[in-house]
Amino acid sequence: MERWKTIIEPFRIKSVEPIRLTTVAERNELLQAAGYNLFNLHSDDVLIDLLTDSGTGAMSAEQWAGVQRGDESYAGSPSWYRFLESVRELFPFKHVIPTHQGRAAEKILFGVVGGPDKVVPNNTHFDTTRANIEFTGAEAVDLVVEEGRSPSAIHPFKGNMDTAALEAFIAERGVQHIPLVMVTVTNNSGGGQPVSLENLRAVRAICDRYGLPLFLDACRFAENAWFIKQREAGYADRSIPDIVREMAGLADGMTMSAKKDAIANIGGWLAMNDDAWAEQARNLEILTEGFPTYGGLAGRDLEAIAQGLREVVDEDYLRYRIRSTAYLGEALVEAGVPCVQPIGGHAVYLDAAALLPHIPPMEYPGQALAVALYREGGIRGCEIGTVMFGQHPDGSESPAPMELVRLAIPRRVYTQSHVDYVIEVVRWVAERAGELRGLQIVEQPQQLRHFTARFAPL
Ligand SMILES: Cc1ncc(COP(=O)(O)O)c(C=O)c1O
């Protein structure tokens, strides 16, 4: 296959879902009704849905076969053992605690290790991770490398943790206040950027020096491993499962959303080596998720995850996956649309601050851009900026470090012509960026406001 330049979708389609075309006038009305929050739209009013890559992937024939095989016994189902084997094949942690999705794993983990005098460093906390930490009264701190904070800085591993900052942070706050160190692979909130094994080893060494556990937020572990294989010296000939196992081997535990790199529509897990923490975690799991051999999931979901984990580490899949994201990003960069670079694994991040310098952060440039993409082309992206991160537990508000719009690519769902359409719409909007206006928030909850806040155009 290497003879040909075109990297094709390594699958054919045997089941299709229609998508509905709407007009700009219709979408204007829909936006108004939704309070200019794209989370409030009905998804059948969306043409190309790039809101998230989470749980939106297309399952394979083998995964659907697994759904049929799913055994729904309350305890000790064979589906659980197949799930466990598949997880352990890549992440050989002693305890694996299934959950209904990633944030449930976070809620349990920080229910065990969080608390008012605690602080948890990460390269960049994802919003649910941050919220679950803050919910316990603890503090969530981001320590990504300098390049990771600059959308235009080119670096092969922009998701890396700033190890000097981590060490200074531990010295300043004191180990007794830090229950664990977390690293998110890839770094979603920082632009889907990978973390190198060299960096993970350096973080591990610091953790060892201070006796701190290291946990991975491993949602996009396979995409991270692909970047390591492509970009890190010494890994070109290593298999993806091998690289994943090396990443896991540096950690003491993980949280996982199976809605990403297990290509399932629901699911997750918490894994760790520590017996005492695991016992507490299982007690919490029983309160909200269910018995520890199904944890909020049906047997059929466990089967879909078990099979998805085998498929996601396939190199033909990963080559296509990362290439199709880069295809979108490179076309936009070429057209002069400011994007986070290099292009990340699961999404293209438009730099709304650079595209809309006339809209100040408190008028939410990312939201303005996301709304415009929906209005003009029926494309739904997601603001990752001051709407998502600007609200603080004490009720105050400040600008987020970056104003991004994430165009997340669902796994195995859209074809190249869908992506070509997205390129055309984004270019059209970008060429008229000067005409866009900001928004104000007219209604918001106290936490995670981006999901439900309502806006009005200025
Ligand atoms: C890096 C990261 N961590 C955690 C989560 C939470 O996972 P879930 O949506 O399954 O609760 C997500 C989901 O988008 C994520 O991207």
Side-chain angles (χ1 to χ4, degrees):
M1 290 301 274
E2 275 154 23
R3 200 173 145 202
W4 309 111
K5 256 188 24 226
T6 308
I7 294 170
I8 61 167
E9 286 89 355
F11 49 81
R12 55 187 179 179
I13 297 162
K14 78 166 162 197
S15 180
V16 297
E17 273 183 292
I19 47 181
R20 194 167 80 85
L21 298 160
T22 47
T23 63
V24 173
E26 279 176 293
R27 291 193 293 268
N28 257 325
E29 277 181 27
L30 293 163
L31 275 170
Q32 214 174 345
Y36 296 87
N37 186 335
L38 305 184
F39 283 99
N40 290 336
L41 291 170
H42 292 210
S43 64
D44 48 8
D45 293 328
V46 176
L47 186 61
I48 306 285
D49 203 347
L50 308 182
L51 183 66
T52 175
D53 65 321
S54 178
T56 53
M59 292 213 294
S60 67
E62 279 305 310
Q63 283 178 295
W64 285 111
V67 166
Q68 281 295 323
R69 224 176 8 247
D71 179 292
E72 304 304 340
S73 305
Y74 188 90
S77 139
S79 300
W80 153 252
Y81 287 105
R82 279 192 281 271
F83 165 90
L84 187 61
E85 188 189 340
S86 223
V87 170
R88 286 239 180 88
E89 174 69 22
L90 296 168
F91 303 99
F93 294 114
K94 189 166 173 198
H95 303 280
V96 179
I97 297 166
T99 60
H100 77 276
Q101 61 183 95
R103 68 198 66 186
E106 294 163 0
K107 172 93 169 96
I108 292 170
L109 176 63
F110 295 109
V112 173
V113 308
D117 60 344
K118 299 286 172 26
V119 51
V120 181
N122 200 330
N123 44 358
T124 311
H125 288 280
F126 183 66
D127 58 350
T128 59
T129 323
R130 173 178 299 281
N132 271 306
I133 290 169
E134 289 174 351
F135 185 73
T136 71
E139 195 186 338
V141 173
D142 297 338
L143 297 175
V144 73
V145 288
E146 186 63 39
E147 292 89 342
R149 283 189 287 265
S150 156
S152 58
I154 303 284
H155 185 286
F157 292 102
K158 277 175 86 166
N160 281 354
M161 176 84 95
D162 182 336
T163 48
L166 175 63
E167 200 138 25
F169 176 82
I170 296 170
E172 185 198 324
R173 296 298 187 95
V175 265
Q176 69 279 20
H177 297 295
I178 304 173
L180 53 85
V181 174
M182 220 167 175
V183 176
T184 303
V185 296
T186 59
N187 191 23
N188 183 4
S189 308
Q193 300 292 328
V195 176
S196 70
L197 268 166
E198 186 187 19
N199 185 252
L200 277 179
R201 274 194 294 273
V203 173
R204 172 80 261 170
I206 294 171
C207 288
D208 285 345
R209 227 167 13 255
Y210 293 93
L212 289 173
L214 171 61
F215 271 60
L216 298 178
D217 175 342
C219 294
R220 297 177 182 83
F221 69 87
E223 293 171 8
N224 200 82
W226 178 258
F227 282 119
I228 288 172
K229 188 175 167 81
Q230 300 303 305
R231 297 182 183 170
E232 190 160 354
Y235 288 93
D237 296 327
R238 296 276 299 279
S239 77
I240 296 293
D242 241 25
I243 296 174
V244 174
R245 280 187 289 267
E246 189 168 335
M247 286 158 54
L250 291 165
D252 301 289
M254 69 186 289
T255 56
M256 176 70 189
S257 167
K259 302 171 75 174
K260 285 81 171 178
D261 271 354
I263 328 184
N265 301 123
I266 198 70
W269 67 86
L270 168 64
M272 62 184 78
N273 290 327
D274 188 275
D275 296 333
W277 279 4
E279 190 185 334
Q280 290 179 59
R282 285 207 178 93
N283 290 338
L284 287 180
E285 177 187 40
I286 288 172
L287 288 182
T288 56
E289 297 292 292
F291 192 72
T293 66
Y294 73 83
L297 294 166
R300 62 185 79 105
D301 302 320
L302 295 167
E303 295 276 358
I305 295 168
Q307 177 60 24
L309 287 174
R310 285 190 276 276
E311 293 174 11
V312 79
V313 293
D314 177 80
E315 293 197 9
D316 290 336
Y317 161 75
L318 282 170
R319 182 178 298 108
Y320 137 79
R321 167 77 178 153
I322 300 300
R323 183 61 216 143
S324 58
T325 307
Y327 175 82
L328 170 60
E330 285 166 14
L332 295 179
V333 169
E334 205 174 300
V337 180
C339 295
V340 173
Q341 293 197 67
I343 304 303
H346 67 294
V348 172
Y349 292 71
L350 309 178
D351 183 352
L355 187 66
L356 307 170
H358 59 289
I359 302 182
M362 293 312 183
E363 294 178 10
Y364 314 118
Q367 191 69 15
L369 179 58
V371 164
L373 294 178
Y374 176 69
R375 186 178 54 238
E376 299 307 327
I379 297 165
R380 177 158 70 168
C382 180
E383 191 262 12
I384 300 202
T386 298
V387 175
M388 190 181 270
F389 293 122
Q391 183 189 36
H392 305 298
D394 66 0
S396 64
E397 193 181 9
S398 62
M402 295 196 263
E403 302 291 345
L404 306 176
V405 174
R406 185 184 71 176
L407 303 178
I409 320 289
R411 292 167 180 78
R412 308 191 289 205
V413 169
Y414 292 116
T415 63
Q416 188 166 339
S417 75
H418 291 120
V419 175
D420 285 332
Y421 170 82
V422 174
I423 293 167
E424 195 179 338
V425 173
V426 177
R427 286 182 63 163
W428 194 94
V429 170
E431 280 159 15
R432 291 157 186 80
E435 295 164 23
L436 297 188
R437 296 289 165 265
L439 298 140
Q440 62 177 336
I441 290 182
V442 291
E443 212 180 292
Q444 64 176 342
Q446 285 182 337
Q447 255 191 341
L448 294 177
R449 66 180 177 182
H450 56 288
F451 289 129
T452 53
R454 295 182 73 83
F455 301 82
L458 287 166

